[in-house]
Amino acid sequence: MKIVGIILIVWGFADLGLSWAGTDLYREIGIELSEGIYPFTHWIAMGIGYAIYSIGKSGDEEEV
């Protein structure tokens, strides 16, 4: 779970950096987003990634 969370966090940072450079990461892979959600996609990806990472981290602590 932690690896998936880290991948989503990195995806969010890549989305943020590429949007500053003028590249739409989601459109490049074929996903069309509405103009209302587009400015927040990096925050959404990083937030979901952090939540998944936290769930995976708490699951590791319970196993110990």
Coordinates of all heavy atoms in Angstrom, one line a residue:
M1 N 0.8 -1.2 0.0 CA 0.0 0.0 0.0 C 0.9 1.3 0.0 O 0.5 2.2 -0.6 CB -0.9 0.0 1.2 CG -2.0 -1.0 1.2 SD -3.3 -0.7 0.1 CE -4.2 0.6 0.9
K2 N 2.0 1.2 0.7 CA 2.8 2.4 0.8 C 3.4 2.7 -0.5 O 3.5 3.9 -0.9 CB 3.9 2.2 1.8 CG 3.4 2.2 3.3 CD 4.5 2.2 4.3 CE 5.6 1.4 4.1 NZ 6.6 1.4 5.2
I3 N 3.7 1.7 -1.3 CA 4.3 2.0 -2.7 C 3.3 2.7 -3.6 O 3.7 3.6 -4.3 CB 4.8 0.7 -3.3 CG1 6.0 0.2 -2.4 CG2 5.3 0.9 -4.7 CD1 6.5 -1.2 -2.8
V4 N 2.1 2.3 -3.5 CA 1.0 2.9 -4.3 C 0.8 4.3 -3.9 O 0.7 5.2 -4.7 CB -0.3 2.1 -4.2 CG1 -1.4 2.9 -4.9 CG2 -0.1 0.7 -4.8
G5 N 0.9 4.6 -2.6 CA 0.8 5.9 -2.1 C 1.9 6.8 -2.6 O 1.7 8.0 -3.0
I6 N 3.1 6.3 -2.5 CA 4.3 7.1 -3.0 C 4.2 7.3 -4.5 O 4.5 8.5 -4.9 CB 5.6 6.3 -2.6 CG1 5.8 6.3 -1.1 CG2 6.8 6.9 -3.3 CD1 6.9 5.4 -0.6
I7 N 3.7 6.4 -5.2 CA 3.6 6.6 -6.7 C 2.6 7.7 -7.0 O 2.8 8.6 -7.8 CB 3.2 5.3 -7.4 CG1 4.4 4.3 -7.4 CG2 2.7 5.5 -8.8 CD1 4.0 2.9 -7.8
L8 N 1.5 7.7 -6.2 CA 0.5 8.8 -6.4 C 1.0 10.1 -6.0 O 0.7 11.2 -6.6 CB -0.8 8.5 -5.7 CG -1.7 7.4 -6.4 CD1 -2.8 7.0 -5.5 CD2 -2.2 8.0 -7.7
I9 N 1.8 10.2 -4.9 CA 2.4 11.5 -4.5 C 3.4 12.0 -5.6 O 3.4 13.2 -5.9 CB 3.1 11.3 -3.1 CG1 2.0 11.0 -2.0 CG2 3.9 12.5 -2.8 CD1 2.6 10.6 -0.7
V10 N 4.2 11.1 -6.1 CA 5.1 11.5 -7.1 C 4.4 11.9 -8.4 O 4.7 12.9 -9.0 CB 6.1 10.3 -7.5 CG1 6.9 10.6 -8.7 CG2 7.0 10.1 -6.3
W11 N 3.3 11.2 -8.7 CA 2.4 11.6 -9.8 C 1.9 13.0 -9.6 O 1.9 13.8 -10.6 CB 1.3 10.6 -10.0 CG 0.3 11.0 -11.1 CD1 -0.8 11.8 -11.0 CD2 0.4 10.5 -12.4 NE1 -1.4 11.8 -12.2 CE2 -0.7 11.1 -13.1 CE3 1.3 9.7 -13.1 CZ2 -0.9 10.9 -14.5 CZ3 1.1 9.5 -14.5 CH2 0.0 10.1 -15.1
G12 N 1.5 13.3 -8.4 CA 1.0 14.7 -8.1 C 2.0 15.7 -8.3 O 1.8 16.8 -8.9
F13 N 3.3 15.5 -7.8 CA 4.3 16.4 -8.0 C 4.7 16.6 -9.5 O 5.0 17.7 -10.0 CB 5.6 16.0 -7.2 CG 5.5 16.4 -5.8 CD1 5.4 15.5 -4.8 CD2 5.6 17.8 -5.4 CE1 5.4 15.9 -3.5 CE2 5.5 18.2 -4.1 CZ 5.4 17.2 -3.1
A14 N 4.7 15.5 -10.3 CA 5.0 15.5 -11.7 C 3.9 16.3 -12.4 O 4.2 17.1 -13.3 CB 5.0 14.1 -12.3
D15 N 2.6 16.1 -12.0 CA 1.5 16.9 -12.6 C 1.7 18.4 -12.3 O 1.5 19.2 -13.2 CB 0.2 16.4 -12.0 CG -1.0 17.1 -12.6 OD1 -0.9 17.5 -13.8 OD2 -2.0 17.1 -12.0
L16 N 2.1 18.7 -11.1 CA 2.3 20.1 -10.8 C 3.4 20.7 -11.6 O 3.3 21.8 -12.2 CB 2.6 20.3 -9.3 CG 2.9 21.7 -8.7 CD1 1.7 22.6 -8.9 CD2 3.3 21.6 -7.3
G17 N 4.6 20.1 -11.6 CA 5.7 20.6 -12.4 C 5.4 20.7 -13.9 O 5.8 21.7 -14.5
L18 N 4.8 19.7 -14.4 CA 4.5 19.7 -15.9 C 3.5 20.7 -16.2 O 3.5 21.3 -17.3 CB 4.1 18.3 -16.4 CG 5.3 17.3 -16.4 CD1 4.7 15.9 -16.7 CD2 6.3 17.7 -17.4
S19 N 2.5 21.0 -15.3 CA 1.5 22.0 -15.6 C 2.2 23.4 -15.6 O 1.8 24.3 -16.4 CB 0.4 22.0 -14.6 OG 0.8 22.4 -13.3
W20 N 3.2 23.6 -14.8 CA 3.9 24.9 -14.8 C 4.7 25.0 -16.2 O 4.9 26.1 -16.7 CB 4.9 25.0 -13.7 CG 4.3 25.4 -12.4 CD1 3.1 26.0 -12.2 CD2 4.9 25.3 -11.1 NE1 2.9 26.2 -10.9 CE2 4.0 25.8 -10.2 CE3 6.1 24.9 -10.7 CZ2 4.3 25.9 -8.8 CZ3 6.4 25.0 -9.3 CH2 5.5 25.5 -8.4
A21 N 5.1 23.9 -16.7 CA 5.9 23.9 -17.9 C 5.0 23.9 -19.2 O 5.4 24.0 -20.3 CB 6.8 22.6 -18.0
G22 N 3.6 23.8 -18.9 CA 2.7 23.9 -20.0 C 2.2 22.6 -20.6 O 1.6 22.6 -21.6
T23 N 2.5 21.5 -19.9 CA 2.1 20.2 -20.4 C 1.0 19.6 -19.5 O 1.1 19.6 -18.3 CB 3.3 19.2 -20.4 OG1 4.4 19.8 -21.1 CG2 2.9 17.9 -20.9
D24 N -0.1 19.2 -20.2 CA -1.2 18.6 -19.5 C -0.9 17.1 -19.4 O -1.1 16.4 -20.4 CB -2.5 18.9 -20.2 CG -3.7 18.4 -19.5 OD1 -3.5 17.7 -18.4 OD2 -4.8 18.6 -20.0
L25 N -0.5 16.6 -18.2 CA -0.2 15.2 -18.0 C -1.3 14.3 -18.3 O -1.2 13.2 -18.9 CB 0.4 15.0 -16.6 CG 0.9 13.7 -16.2 CD1 2.0 13.3 -17.1 CD2 1.3 13.7 -14.7
Y26 N -2.5 14.7 -17.8 CA -3.7 13.8 -18.0 C -4.1 13.7 -19.5 O -4.5 12.6 -20.0 CB -4.8 14.3 -17.1 CG -4.6 14.0 -15.7 CD1 -4.0 15.0 -14.9 CD2 -4.8 12.8 -15.1 CE1 -3.8 14.8 -13.5 CE2 -4.6 12.6 -13.8 CZ -4.1 13.6 -13.0 OH -3.8 13.3 -11.7
R27 N -4.0 14.8 -20.2 CA -4.4 14.8 -21.6 C -3.4 14.0 -22.4 O -3.7 13.3 -23.4 CB -4.5 16.2 -22.2 CG -5.0 16.2 -23.6 CD -5.4 17.6 -24.1 NE -6.5 18.1 -23.3 CZ -6.8 19.3 -23.0 NH1 -5.9 20.2 -23.2 NH2 -7.8 19.6 -22.3
E28 N -2.1 14.0 -22.0 CA -1.1 13.2 -22.7 C -1.4 11.7 -22.6 O -1.0 11.0 -23.5 CB 0.3 13.5 -22.1 CG 0.8 14.9 -22.4 CD 1.1 15.1 -23.9 OE1 1.6 14.2 -24.5 OE2 0.9 16.2 -24.3
I29 N -2.0 11.3 -21.5 CA -2.3 9.8 -21.4 C -3.7 9.5 -21.8 O -4.2 8.4 -21.7 CB -2.0 9.3 -20.0 CG1 -2.9 9.9 -18.9 CG2 -0.5 9.4 -19.7 CD1 -2.8 9.3 -17.6
G30 N -4.5 10.5 -22.3 CA -5.8 10.3 -22.8 C -6.9 10.5 -21.9 O -8.1 10.1 -22.2
I31 N -6.7 11.2 -20.8 CA -7.8 11.5 -19.8 C -8.2 12.9 -20.0 O -7.4 13.8 -19.8 CB -7.4 11.2 -18.4 CG1 -7.0 9.7 -18.2 CG2 -8.5 11.6 -17.4 CD1 -6.4 9.4 -16.9
E32 N -9.5 13.1 -20.3 CA -10.0 14.5 -20.5 C -10.7 14.9 -19.2 O -11.5 14.2 -18.6 CB -11.1 14.5 -21.6 CG -10.5 14.3 -23.0 CD -9.6 15.4 -23.5 OE1 -9.9 16.5 -23.2 OE2 -8.6 15.0 -24.2
L33 N -10.2 16.1 -18.6 CA -10.7 16.6 -17.4 C -11.5 17.9 -17.6 O -11.1 18.6 -18.6 CB -9.6 16.8 -16.4 CG -8.8 15.6 -16.0 CD1 -7.6 16.0 -15.1 CD2 -9.7 14.7 -15.2
S34 N -12.5 18.2 -16.8 CA -13.2 19.5 -16.9 C -12.3 20.6 -16.4 O -11.4 20.4 -15.7 CB -14.5 19.4 -16.2 OG -14.2 19.4 -14.8
E35 N -12.6 21.8 -16.9 CA -11.8 23.0 -16.5 C -11.9 23.3 -15.0 O -11.0 23.9 -14.4 CB -12.2 24.2 -17.3 CG -11.8 24.1 -18.8 CD -10.3 24.0 -19.0 OE1 -9.6 24.7 -18.3 OE2 -9.9 23.2 -19.9
G36 N -13.0 22.8 -14.4 CA -13.2 23.1 -13.0 C -12.3 22.3 -12.1 O -12.0 22.7 -11.0
I37 N -12.0 21.1 -12.5 CA -11.2 20.2 -11.6 C -9.7 20.2 -12.0 O -8.8 19.9 -11.2 CB -11.7 18.7 -11.7 CG1 -11.2 17.9 -10.5 CG2 -11.4 18.1 -13.0 CD1 -11.8 16.6 -10.4
Y38 N -9.4 20.6 -13.2 CA -8.0 20.6 -13.7 C -7.0 21.3 -12.8 O -5.9 20.8 -12.5 CB -7.9 21.2 -15.1 CG -6.5 21.2 -15.6 CD1 -5.9 20.0 -16.0 CD2 -5.8 22.4 -15.7 CE1 -4.5 20.0 -16.4 CE2 -4.5 22.4 -16.1 CZ -3.9 21.2 -16.5 OH -2.6 21.2 -16.9
P39 N -7.3 22.5 -12.2 CA -6.3 23.2 -11.4 C -6.0 22.5 -10.1 O -5.0 22.8 -9.4 CB -6.9 24.5 -11.1 CG -8.0 24.7 -12.1 CD -8.5 23.4 -12.5
F40 N -6.8 21.5 -9.7 CA -6.7 20.8 -8.4 C -6.2 19.4 -8.5 O -6.1 18.7 -7.5 CB -8.0 20.9 -7.7 CG -8.6 22.2 -7.5 CD1 -9.7 22.6 -8.3 CD2 -8.0 23.1 -6.7 CE1 -10.2 23.9 -8.2 CE2 -8.5 24.4 -6.6 CZ -9.6 24.8 -7.3
T41 N -5.9 18.9 -9.7 CA -5.6 17.5 -9.9 C -4.3 17.1 -9.2 O -4.2 16.0 -8.7 CB -5.4 17.1 -11.4 OG1 -4.5 18.0 -12.0 CG2 -6.8 17.3 -12.1
H42 N -3.3 18.0 -9.1 CA -2.1 17.6 -8.4 C -2.4 17.5 -6.9 O -1.8 16.6 -6.3 CB -1.0 18.6 -8.7 CG -1.3 20.0 -8.4 ND1 -2.0 20.8 -9.3 CD2 -1.0 20.7 -7.3 CE1 -2.1 22.0 -8.8 NE2 -1.5 22.0 -7.5
W43 N -3.2 18.4 -6.4 CA -3.5 18.3 -4.9 C -4.3 17.0 -4.6 O -4.1 16.3 -3.6 CB -4.3 19.5 -4.5 CG -3.5 20.7 -4.5 CD1 -3.7 21.8 -5.3 CD2 -2.3 21.0 -3.7 NE1 -2.8 22.8 -5.0 CE2 -1.9 22.3 -4.1 CE3 -1.6 20.3 -2.8 CZ2 -0.8 22.9 -3.5 CZ3 -0.5 20.9 -2.2 CH2 -0.1 22.2 -2.6
I44 N -5.2 16.7 -5.5 CA -6.1 15.5 -5.4 C -5.2 14.2 -5.4 O -5.3 13.3 -4.5 CB -7.2 15.4 -6.5 CG1 -8.1 16.6 -6.3 CG2 -7.9 14.1 -6.4 CD1 -9.1 16.7 -7.4
A45 N -4.3 14.1 -6.4 CA -3.4 13.0 -6.5 C -2.5 12.9 -5.2 O -2.3 11.8 -4.7 CB -2.6 13.1 -7.7
M46 N -1.9 14.0 -4.8 CA -1.1 13.9 -3.6 C -1.9 13.6 -2.4 O -1.4 12.8 -1.5 CB -0.3 15.2 -3.5 CG 0.8 15.4 -4.5 SD 1.8 16.8 -4.2 CE 0.8 18.2 -4.8
G47 N -3.1 14.1 -2.2 CA -3.9 13.8 -1.1 C -4.3 12.4 -1.0 O -4.2 11.7 0.1
I48 N -4.7 11.8 -2.1 CA -5.1 10.4 -2.1 C -3.9 9.5 -1.9 O -3.9 8.5 -1.2 CB -5.8 10.0 -3.5 CG1 -7.1 10.7 -3.6 CG2 -5.9 8.5 -3.6 CD1 -7.8 10.6 -4.9
G49 N -2.7 9.9 -2.5 CA -1.5 9.2 -2.3 C -1.1 9.2 -0.8 O -0.7 8.1 -0.3
Y50 N -1.2 10.3 -0.2 CA -0.8 10.4 1.3 C -1.8 9.6 2.1 O -1.3 8.9 3.0 CB -0.9 11.9 1.7 CG -0.5 12.0 3.2 CD1 0.8 11.8 3.6 CD2 -1.5 12.2 4.2 CE1 1.1 11.9 5.0 CE2 -1.2 12.3 5.5 CZ 0.1 12.2 5.9 OH 0.5 12.2 7.2
A51 N -3.1 9.6 1.8 CA -4.0 8.8 2.5 C -3.7 7.3 2.4 O -3.7 6.6 3.4 CB -5.5 9.1 2.1
I52 N -3.4 6.9 1.2 CA -3.1 5.4 1.0 C -1.8 5.1 1.7 O -1.7 4.0 2.3 CB -3.0 5.1 -0.5 CG1 -4.4 5.2 -1.1 CG2 -2.4 3.8 -0.8 CD1 -4.4 5.1 -2.6
Y53 N -0.8 6.0 1.6 CA 0.5 5.8 2.3 C 0.2 5.7 3.8 O 0.8 4.8 4.5 CB 1.4 6.9 2.0 CG 2.8 6.8 2.7 CD1 3.7 5.9 2.2 CD2 3.0 7.5 3.8 CE1 5.0 5.8 2.8 CE2 4.2 7.4 4.5 CZ 5.2 6.5 4.0 OH 6.4 6.4 4.6
S54 N -0.6 6.5 4.4 CA -0.9 6.5 5.8 C -1.6 5.2 6.2 O -1.3 4.6 7.3 CB -1.7 7.7 6.2 OG -1.0 8.9 6.0
I55 N -2.5 4.7 5.4 CA -3.2 3.5 5.7 C -2.2 2.3 5.7 O -2.2 1.5 6.5 CB -4.3 3.3 4.7 CG1 -5.5 4.3 4.9 CG2 -4.9 1.8 4.8 CD1 -6.5 4.3 3.8
G56 N -1.3 2.3 4.7 CA -0.3 1.3 4.6 C 0.7 1.3 5.7 O 1.1 0.3 6.3
K57 N 1.0 2.5 6.2 CA 1.9 2.7 7.3 C 1.3 2.2 8.6 O 2.0 1.6 9.4 CB 2.3 4.2 7.4 CG 3.4 4.5 8.4 CD 3.8 5.9 8.3 CE 4.9 6.2 9.3 NZ 5.3 7.6 9.3
S58 N 0.0 2.6 8.8 CA -0.6 2.1 10.1 C -0.8 0.6 10.1 O -0.8 0.0 11.1 CB -1.9 2.8 10.3 OG -2.9 2.4 9.3
G59 N -1.0 0.0 8.9 CA -1.1 -1.4 8.8 C 0.2 -2.1 9.1 O 0.2 -3.2 9.7
D60 N 1.3 -1.5 8.8 CA 2.6 -2.1 9.1 C 2.9 -2.1 10.6 O 3.4 -3.0 11.2 CB 3.8 -1.3 8.4 CG 3.8 -1.6 6.9 OD1 3.1 -2.6 6.5 OD2 4.5 -0.8 6.2
E61 N 2.4 -1.0 11.3 CA 2.6 -0.9 12.7 C 1.8 -2.0 13.5 O 2.3 -2.5 14.5 CB 2.3 0.5 13.2 CG 3.2 1.6 12.7 CD 2.7 3.0 13.0 OE1 1.7 3.1 13.6 OE2 3.5 3.9 12.6
E62 N 0.6 -2.3 13.0 CA -0.2 -3.3 13.7 C 0.4 -4.7 13.6 O 0.2 -5.5 14.5 CB -1.6 -3.3 13.1 CG -2.4 -2.0 13.4 CD -3.7 -1.9 12.7 OE1 -4.1 -2.9 12.0 OE2 -4.4 -0.9 12.8
E63 N 1.1 -5.0 12.5 CA 1.7 -6.3 12.3 C 2.8 -6.6 13.2 O 3.2 -7.7 13.5 CB 2.1 -6.5 10.9 CG 1.0 -6.5 9.9 CD 1.5 -6.5 8.4 OE1 2.7 -6.6 8.2 OE2 0.6 -6.5 7.6
V64 N 3.5 -5.5 13.7 CA 4.7 -5.7 14.6 C 4.4 -6.0 15.9 O 3.5 -6.2 16.6 CB 5.5 -4.4 14.6 CG1 6.7 -4.5 15.5 CG2 6.0 -4.0 13.2

